[in-house]
Amino acid sequence: MPLTIPGRPKPYVMAHRGNSVAAPENTRAAFRRAFDDGADILETDLHVTRDGVCVCIHDATLDRTTDGRGAVADLTLAEIKRYSAGYGRPEFAAEHVPALDELLSILPPSVFLALELKTDRFLEPGVAQRLIDPLRSANVLDRTVVLSFHLDRVQAIQRRAPEIPIGFITLNRLTPVVPAQLIGPFWPLLLINPFYSWWAHRRDMLIAPLDPWPDRRLWLYRLLRCDAILANDPGAILKRLRRRASS
């Protein structure tokens, strides 16, 4: 089965936008906190700037998470770097929207990456290659999965880098019958179809429910043998799983 993390027990804990409770989402501070927590997988969102740089931000605009305004696609990386991504928290005022390269420079060797592609720009061959090249240069392709609610985006990446696994996130698909190596169903789908996880495993897929606040349903995900658990606060979930932070 793909995406097996050596030496780490399942369910893996996937830090949603880093530790987005302890620090502003998708910032280096949130990423570092997730690493310190002992998260197995770091999940972040990718948009593409006007000058073709992959940056870690969830929204298509700067408006919600920075003190700037405007569409990411209309701004260069240098223009985006003018603004704070501190989310109004004074202690994080020095944080900025990080480029993918900045994330790769601080990624520990034992942590996997889950990159959610938030724009159709990744369908463009040049943009797809600008995602793949730094992953290959950093030697992390074998511990990266690309994710999307849009299957064509991740397939565009896999066509250019067949070794990279892909994941499909869904709000309404009642079965895991999809050409991907990982499935991320919105968590109520597991109640509607209690065989969802079993079916995914029969198809040699990993399953990671879409549920960034999994505390009340942790028992269910363990019962269903889900492979990874998404969490806004990975440290809290690791404590619930009685796991210590990695040294």
Side-chain angles (χ1 to χ4, degrees), residues 135-161:
L135 297 175
R136 182 169 282 128
S137 296
N139 199 29
V140 300
L141 272 179
D142 62 345
R143 52 188 171 107
T144 299
V145 56
V146 288
L147 313 169
S148 183
F149 287 92
H150 302 270
L151 195 59
D152 55 347
R153 294 176 186 170
V154 293
Q155 288 175 326
I157 303 301
Q158 195 176 57
R159 279 195 296 271
R160 301 185 74 84

PDB file of all heavy atoms in Angstrom, residues 135-161:
ATOM      1  N   LEU A 135       9.968  19.470  -5.576  1.00  0.00           N
ATOM      2  CA  LEU A 135       9.772  18.246  -4.801  1.00  0.00           C
ATOM      3  C   LEU A 135      10.852  17.226  -5.143  1.00  0.00           C
ATOM      4  O   LEU A 135      11.397  16.552  -4.257  1.00  0.00           O
ATOM      5  CB  LEU A 135       8.386  17.660  -5.073  1.00  0.00           C
ATOM      6  CG  LEU A 135       7.181  18.518  -4.661  1.00  0.00           C
ATOM      7  CD1 LEU A 135       5.884  17.852  -5.120  1.00  0.00           C
ATOM      8  CD2 LEU A 135       7.153  18.736  -3.151  1.00  0.00           C
ATOM      9  N   ARG A 136      11.160  17.132  -6.432  1.00  0.00           N
ATOM     10  CA  ARG A 136      12.207  16.195  -6.849  1.00  0.00           C
ATOM     11  C   ARG A 136      13.577  16.657  -6.354  1.00  0.00           C
ATOM     12  O   ARG A 136      14.385  15.854  -5.868  1.00  0.00           O
ATOM     13  CB  ARG A 136      12.185  16.042  -8.364  1.00  0.00           C
ATOM     14  CG  ARG A 136      13.211  15.053  -8.893  1.00  0.00           C
ATOM     15  CD  ARG A 136      12.975  14.723 -10.357  1.00  0.00           C
ATOM     16  NE  ARG A 136      11.883  13.770 -10.525  1.00  0.00           N
ATOM     17  CZ  ARG A 136      10.852  13.941 -11.336  1.00  0.00           C
ATOM     18  NH1 ARG A 136      10.750  15.046 -12.050  1.00  0.00           N
ATOM     19  NH2 ARG A 136       9.910  13.024 -11.438  1.00  0.00           N
ATOM     20  N   SER A 137      13.848  17.949  -6.451  1.00  0.00           N
ATOM     21  CA  SER A 137      15.140  18.479  -6.005  1.00  0.00           C
ATOM     22  C   SER A 137      15.350  18.276  -4.511  1.00  0.00           C
ATOM     23  O   SER A 137      16.469  18.018  -4.059  1.00  0.00           O
ATOM     24  CB  SER A 137      15.252  19.971  -6.346  1.00  0.00           C
ATOM     25  OG  SER A 137      15.233  20.178  -7.741  1.00  0.00           O
ATOM     26  N   ALA A 138      14.252  18.391  -3.746  1.00  0.00           N
ATOM     27  CA  ALA A 138      14.334  18.193  -2.295  1.00  0.00           C
ATOM     28  C   ALA A 138      14.264  16.719  -1.906  1.00  0.00           C
ATOM     29  O   ALA A 138      14.309  16.397  -0.708  1.00  0.00           O
ATOM     30  CB  ALA A 138      13.210  18.961  -1.610  1.00  0.00           C
ATOM     31  N   ASN A 139      14.117  15.848  -2.904  1.00  0.00           N
ATOM     32  CA  ASN A 139      14.077  14.401  -2.676  1.00  0.00           C
ATOM     33  C   ASN A 139      12.906  14.001  -1.776  1.00  0.00           C
ATOM     34  O   ASN A 139      13.043  13.154  -0.890  1.00  0.00           O
ATOM     35  CB  ASN A 139      15.395  13.914  -2.076  1.00  0.00           C
ATOM     36  CG  ASN A 139      15.588  12.416  -2.247  1.00  0.00           C
ATOM     37  OD1 ASN A 139      15.093  11.820  -3.210  1.00  0.00           O
ATOM     38  ND2 ASN A 139      16.291  11.796  -1.309  1.00  0.00           N
ATOM     39  N   VAL A 140      11.736  14.611  -2.018  1.00  0.00           N
ATOM     40  CA  VAL A 140      10.559  14.297  -1.209  1.00  0.00           C
ATOM     41  C   VAL A 140       9.390  13.741  -2.029  1.00  0.00           C
ATOM     42  O   VAL A 140       8.299  13.554  -1.491  1.00  0.00           O
ATOM     43  CB  VAL A 140      10.082  15.516  -0.379  1.00  0.00           C
ATOM     44  CG1 VAL A 140      11.160  15.988   0.574  1.00  0.00           C
ATOM     45  CG2 VAL A 140       9.638  16.658  -1.289  1.00  0.00           C
ATOM     46  N   LEU A 141       9.608  13.469  -3.306  1.00  0.00           N
ATOM     47  CA  LEU A 141       8.509  12.932  -4.107  1.00  0.00           C
ATOM     48  C   LEU A 141       7.976  11.628  -3.527  1.00  0.00           C
ATOM     49  O   LEU A 141       6.772  11.351  -3.605  1.00  0.00           O
ATOM     50  CB  LEU A 141       8.964  12.694  -5.551  1.00  0.00           C
ATOM     51  CG  LEU A 141       8.832  13.857  -6.530  1.00  0.00           C
ATOM     52  CD1 LEU A 141       9.341  13.445  -7.898  1.00  0.00           C
ATOM     53  CD2 LEU A 141       7.387  14.340  -6.632  1.00  0.00           C
ATOM     54  N   ASP A 142       8.864  10.826  -2.927  1.00  0.00           N
ATOM     55  CA  ASP A 142       8.441   9.530  -2.413  1.00  0.00           C
ATOM     56  C   ASP A 142       7.720   9.636  -1.074  1.00  0.00           C
ATOM     57  O   ASP A 142       7.253   8.637  -0.539  1.00  0.00           O
ATOM     58  CB  ASP A 142       9.629   8.574  -2.287  1.00  0.00           C
ATOM     59  CG  ASP A 142      10.685   9.066  -1.302  1.00  0.00           C
ATOM     60  OD1 ASP A 142      10.651  10.264  -0.936  1.00  0.00           O
ATOM     61  OD2 ASP A 142      11.543   8.258  -0.902  1.00  0.00           O
ATOM     62  N   ARG A 143       7.627  10.845  -0.531  1.00  0.00           N
ATOM     63  CA  ARG A 143       6.835  11.036   0.687  1.00  0.00           C
ATOM     64  C   ARG A 143       5.873  12.218   0.555  1.00  0.00           C
ATOM     65  O   ARG A 143       5.595  12.938   1.505  1.00  0.00           O
ATOM     66  CB  ARG A 143       7.718  11.174   1.924  1.00  0.00           C
ATOM     67  CG  ARG A 143       8.826  12.202   1.857  1.00  0.00           C
ATOM     68  CD  ARG A 143       9.740  12.075   3.074  1.00  0.00           C
ATOM     69  NE  ARG A 143      10.929  12.886   2.964  1.00  0.00           N
ATOM     70  CZ  ARG A 143      11.139  14.015   3.655  1.00  0.00           C
ATOM     71  NH1 ARG A 143      10.232  14.450   4.520  1.00  0.00           N
ATOM     72  NH2 ARG A 143      12.258  14.687   3.512  1.00  0.00           N
ATOM     73  N   THR A 144       5.368  12.372  -0.671  1.00  0.00           N
ATOM     74  CA  THR A 144       4.394  13.431  -0.949  1.00  0.00           C
ATOM     75  C   THR A 144       3.184  12.827  -1.644  1.00  0.00           C
ATOM     76  O   THR A 144       3.314  11.957  -2.503  1.00  0.00           O
ATOM     77  CB  THR A 144       5.018  14.508  -1.861  1.00  0.00           C
ATOM     78  OG1 THR A 144       6.133  15.104  -1.208  1.00  0.00           O
ATOM     79  CG2 THR A 144       3.998  15.598  -2.192  1.00  0.00           C
ATOM     80  N   VAL A 145       1.990  13.310  -1.260  1.00  0.00           N
ATOM     81  CA  VAL A 145       0.770  12.990  -1.983  1.00  0.00           C
ATOM     82  C   VAL A 145       0.131  14.316  -2.377  1.00  0.00           C
ATOM     83  O   VAL A 145       0.157  15.275  -1.595  1.00  0.00           O
ATOM     84  CB  VAL A 145      -0.198  12.134  -1.128  1.00  0.00           C
ATOM     85  CG1 VAL A 145      -0.532  12.798   0.195  1.00  0.00           C
ATOM     86  CG2 VAL A 145      -1.479  11.808  -1.888  1.00  0.00           C
ATOM     87  N   VAL A 146      -0.378  14.394  -3.604  1.00  0.00           N
ATOM     88  CA  VAL A 146      -1.106  15.585  -4.018  1.00  0.00           C
ATOM     89  C   VAL A 146      -2.600  15.284  -3.941  1.00  0.00           C
ATOM     90  O   VAL A 146      -3.051  14.205  -4.333  1.00  0.00           O
ATOM     91  CB  VAL A 146      -0.698  16.067  -5.424  1.00  0.00           C
ATOM     92  CG1 VAL A 146       0.691  16.677  -5.386  1.00  0.00           C
ATOM     93  CG2 VAL A 146      -0.754  14.955  -6.454  1.00  0.00           C
ATOM     94  N   LEU A 147      -3.348  16.243  -3.429  1.00  0.00           N
ATOM     95  CA  LEU A 147      -4.773  16.073  -3.139  1.00  0.00           C
ATOM     96  C   LEU A 147      -5.587  17.147  -3.849  1.00  0.00           C
ATOM     97  O   LEU A 147      -5.098  18.247  -4.093  1.00  0.00           O
ATOM     98  CB  LEU A 147      -5.033  16.217  -1.634  1.00  0.00           C
ATOM     99  CG  LEU A 147      -4.154  15.482  -0.634  1.00  0.00           C
ATOM    100  CD1 LEU A 147      -4.439  15.983   0.774  1.00  0.00           C
ATOM    101  CD2 LEU A 147      -4.417  13.995  -0.735  1.00  0.00           C
ATOM    102  N   SER A 148      -6.850  16.828  -4.100  1.00  0.00           N
ATOM    103  CA  SER A 148      -7.764  17.852  -4.604  1.00  0.00           C
ATOM    104  C   SER A 148      -9.196  17.330  -4.563  1.00  0.00           C
ATOM    105  O   SER A 148      -9.431  16.120  -4.557  1.00  0.00           O
ATOM    106  CB  SER A 148      -7.412  18.250  -6.040  1.00  0.00           C
ATOM    107  OG  SER A 148      -8.255  19.296  -6.492  1.00  0.00           O
ATOM    108  N   PHE A 149     -10.133  18.275  -4.555  1.00  0.00           N
ATOM    109  CA  PHE A 149     -11.533  17.951  -4.803  1.00  0.00           C
ATOM    110  C   PHE A 149     -11.766  17.732  -6.302  1.00  0.00           C
ATOM    111  O   PHE A 149     -12.847  17.306  -6.692  1.00  0.00           O
ATOM    112  CB  PHE A 149     -12.435  19.096  -4.328  1.00  0.00           C
ATOM    113  CG  PHE A 149     -12.555  19.207  -2.837  1.00  0.00           C
ATOM    114  CD1 PHE A 149     -11.694  20.022  -2.107  1.00  0.00           C
ATOM    115  CD2 PHE A 149     -13.542  18.520  -2.143  1.00  0.00           C
ATOM    116  CE1 PHE A 149     -11.813  20.143  -0.731  1.00  0.00           C
ATOM    117  CE2 PHE A 149     -13.679  18.639  -0.775  1.00  0.00           C
ATOM    118  CZ  PHE A 149     -12.807  19.448  -0.061  1.00  0.00           C
ATOM    119  N   HIS A 150     -10.775  18.055  -7.128  1.00  0.00           N
ATOM    120  CA  HIS A 150     -10.881  17.960  -8.582  1.00  0.00           C
ATOM    121  C   HIS A 150      -9.847  16.947  -9.067  1.00  0.00           C
ATOM    122  O   HIS A 150      -8.641  17.223  -9.059  1.00  0.00           O
ATOM    123  CB  HIS A 150     -10.645  19.323  -9.225  1.00  0.00           C
ATOM    124  CG  HIS A 150     -11.591  20.381  -8.736  1.00  0.00           C
ATOM    125  ND1 HIS A 150     -12.805  20.623  -9.339  1.00  0.00           N
ATOM    126  CD2 HIS A 150     -11.509  21.228  -7.685  1.00  0.00           C
ATOM    127  CE1 HIS A 150     -13.435  21.591  -8.682  1.00  0.00           C
ATOM    128  NE2 HIS A 150     -12.667  21.970  -7.680  1.00  0.00           N
ATOM    129  N   LEU A 151     -10.306  15.805  -9.510  1.00  0.00           N
ATOM    130  CA  LEU A 151      -9.414  14.706  -9.862  1.00  0.00           C
ATOM    131  C   LEU A 151      -8.469  15.077 -11.000  1.00  0.00           C
ATOM    132  O   LEU A 151      -7.307  14.637 -11.024  1.00  0.00           O
ATOM    133  CB  LEU A 151     -10.240  13.475 -10.223  1.00  0.00           C
ATOM    134  CG  LEU A 151      -9.515  12.131 -10.282  1.00  0.00           C
ATOM    135  CD1 LEU A 151      -8.859  11.789  -8.965  1.00  0.00           C
ATOM    136  CD2 LEU A 151     -10.495  11.035 -10.711  1.00  0.00           C
ATOM    137  N   ASP A 152      -8.942  15.908 -11.933  1.00  0.00           N
ATOM    138  CA  ASP A 152      -8.089  16.235 -13.084  1.00  0.00           C
ATOM    139  C   ASP A 152      -6.825  16.982 -12.678  1.00  0.00           C
ATOM    140  O   ASP A 152      -5.782  16.850 -13.326  1.00  0.00           O
ATOM    141  CB  ASP A 152      -8.874  17.013 -14.147  1.00  0.00           C
ATOM    142  CG  ASP A 152      -9.534  18.275 -13.625  1.00  0.00           C
ATOM    143  OD1 ASP A 152      -9.614  18.461 -12.389  1.00  0.00           O
ATOM    144  OD2 ASP A 152     -10.012  19.087 -14.458  1.00  0.00           O
ATOM    145  N   ARG A 153      -6.884  17.757 -11.594  1.00  0.00           N
ATOM    146  CA  ARG A 153      -5.691  18.487 -11.151  1.00  0.00           C
ATOM    147  C   ARG A 153      -4.590  17.533 -10.702  1.00  0.00           C
ATOM    148  O   ARG A 153      -3.419  17.688 -11.089  1.00  0.00           O
ATOM    149  CB  ARG A 153      -6.045  19.435 -10.005  1.00  0.00           C
ATOM    150  CG  ARG A 153      -6.977  20.568 -10.384  1.00  0.00           C
ATOM    151  CD  ARG A 153      -7.345  21.399  -9.170  1.00  0.00           C
ATOM    152  NE  ARG A 153      -8.357  22.410  -9.503  1.00  0.00           N
ATOM    153  CZ  ARG A 153      -9.001  23.151  -8.613  1.00  0.00           C
ATOM    154  NH1 ARG A 153      -8.734  22.999  -7.315  1.00  0.00           N
ATOM    155  NH2 ARG A 153      -9.903  24.018  -9.002  1.00  0.00           N
ATOM    156  N   VAL A 154      -4.943  16.566  -9.886  1.00  0.00           N
ATOM    157  CA  VAL A 154      -3.914  15.653  -9.379  1.00  0.00           C
ATOM    158  C   VAL A 154      -3.455  14.678 -10.462  1.00  0.00           C
ATOM    159  O   VAL A 154      -2.292  14.271 -10.499  1.00  0.00           O
ATOM    160  CB  VAL A 154      -4.390  14.904  -8.112  1.00  0.00           C
ATOM    161  CG1 VAL A 154      -4.545  15.884  -6.956  1.00  0.00           C
ATOM    162  CG2 VAL A 154      -5.693  14.155  -8.345  1.00  0.00           C
ATOM    163  N   GLN A 155      -4.358  14.317 -11.357  1.00  0.00           N
ATOM    164  CA  GLN A 155      -3.957  13.450 -12.468  1.00  0.00           C
ATOM    165  C   GLN A 155      -2.960  14.154 -13.382  1.00  0.00           C
ATOM    166  O   GLN A 155      -2.058  13.510 -13.935  1.00  0.00           O
ATOM    167  CB  GLN A 155      -5.192  13.001 -13.254  1.00  0.00           C
ATOM    168  CG  GLN A 155      -6.051  11.991 -12.502  1.00  0.00           C
ATOM    169  CD  GLN A 155      -7.327  11.644 -13.236  1.00  0.00           C
ATOM    170  OE1 GLN A 155      -7.923  12.482 -13.916  1.00  0.00           O
ATOM    171  NE2 GLN A 155      -7.760  10.400 -13.102  1.00  0.00           N
ATOM    172  N   ALA A 156      -3.101  15.471 -13.523  1.00  0.00           N
ATOM    173  CA  ALA A 156      -2.153  16.226 -14.340  1.00  0.00           C
ATOM    174  C   ALA A 156      -0.748  16.146 -13.757  1.00  0.00           C
ATOM    175  O   ALA A 156       0.248  16.094 -14.501  1.00  0.00           O
ATOM    176  CB  ALA A 156      -2.605  17.679 -14.460  1.00  0.00           C
ATOM    177  N   ILE A 157      -0.664  16.141 -12.436  1.00  0.00           N
ATOM    178  CA  ILE A 157       0.646  16.015 -11.786  1.00  0.00           C
ATOM    179  C   ILE A 157       1.172  14.602 -11.947  1.00  0.00           C
ATOM    180  O   ILE A 157       2.349  14.389 -12.287  1.00  0.00           O
ATOM    181  CB  ILE A 157       0.537  16.378 -10.297  1.00  0.00           C
ATOM    182  CG1 ILE A 157      -0.025  17.798 -10.112  1.00  0.00           C
ATOM    183  CG2 ILE A 157       1.900  16.238  -9.619  1.00  0.00           C
ATOM    184  CD1 ILE A 157       0.791  18.886 -10.764  1.00  0.00           C
ATOM    185  N   GLN A 158       0.328  13.610 -11.734  1.00  0.00           N
ATOM    186  CA  GLN A 158       0.785  12.223 -11.801  1.00  0.00           C
ATOM    187  C   GLN A 158       1.214  11.829 -13.221  1.00  0.00           C
ATOM    188  O   GLN A 158       2.104  10.989 -13.386  1.00  0.00           O
ATOM    189  CB  GLN A 158      -0.293  11.278 -11.278  1.00  0.00           C
ATOM    190  CG  GLN A 158       0.221   9.880 -10.967  1.00  0.00           C
ATOM    191  CD  GLN A 158      -0.840   9.003 -10.362  1.00  0.00           C
ATOM    192  OE1 GLN A 158      -1.913   8.798 -10.939  1.00  0.00           O
ATOM    193  NE2 GLN A 158      -0.566   8.469  -9.180  1.00  0.00           N
ATOM    194  N   ARG A 159       0.608  12.429 -14.214  1.00  0.00           N
ATOM    195  CA  ARG A 159       1.044  12.135 -15.583  1.00  0.00           C
ATOM    196  C   ARG A 159       2.492  12.553 -15.813  1.00  0.00           C
ATOM    197  O   ARG A 159       3.224  11.906 -16.566  1.00  0.00           O
ATOM    198  CB  ARG A 159       0.121  12.832 -16.594  1.00  0.00           C
ATOM    199  CG  ARG A 159      -1.181  12.096 -16.859  1.00  0.00           C
ATOM    200  CD  ARG A 159      -1.877  12.619 -18.095  1.00  0.00           C
ATOM    201  NE  ARG A 159      -2.290  14.005 -17.962  1.00  0.00           N
ATOM    202  CZ  ARG A 159      -3.465  14.385 -17.461  1.00  0.00           C
ATOM    203  NH1 ARG A 159      -4.329  13.476 -17.046  1.00  0.00           N
ATOM    204  NH2 ARG A 159      -3.772  15.666 -17.381  1.00  0.00           N
ATOM    205  N   ARG A 160       2.907  13.638 -15.161  1.00  0.00           N
ATOM    206  CA  ARG A 160       4.266  14.125 -15.338  1.00  0.00           C
ATOM    207  C   ARG A 160       5.234  13.502 -14.338  1.00  0.00           C
ATOM    208  O   ARG A 160       6.463  13.526 -14.569  1.00  0.00           O
ATOM    209  CB  ARG A 160       4.294  15.654 -15.224  1.00  0.00           C
ATOM    210  CG  ARG A 160       3.392  16.345 -16.247  1.00  0.00           C
ATOM    211  CD  ARG A 160       3.527  17.850 -16.186  1.00  0.00           C
ATOM    212  NE  ARG A 160       4.781  18.294 -16.775  1.00  0.00           N
ATOM    213  CZ  ARG A 160       4.974  18.495 -18.065  1.00  0.00           C
ATOM    214  NH1 ARG A 160       3.985  18.275 -18.939  1.00  0.00           N
ATOM    215  NH2 ARG A 160       6.138  18.906 -18.516  1.00  0.00           N
ATOM    216  N   ALA A 161       4.704  12.985 -13.241  1.00  0.00           N
ATOM    217  CA  ALA A 161       5.539  12.335 -12.219  1.00  0.00           C
ATOM    218  C   ALA A 161       4.777  11.103 -11.736  1.00  0.00           C
ATOM    219  O   ALA A 161       4.103  11.140 -10.704  1.00  0.00           O
ATOM    220  CB  ALA A 161       5.833  13.289 -11.065  1.00  0.00           C
TER     221      ALA A 161
END
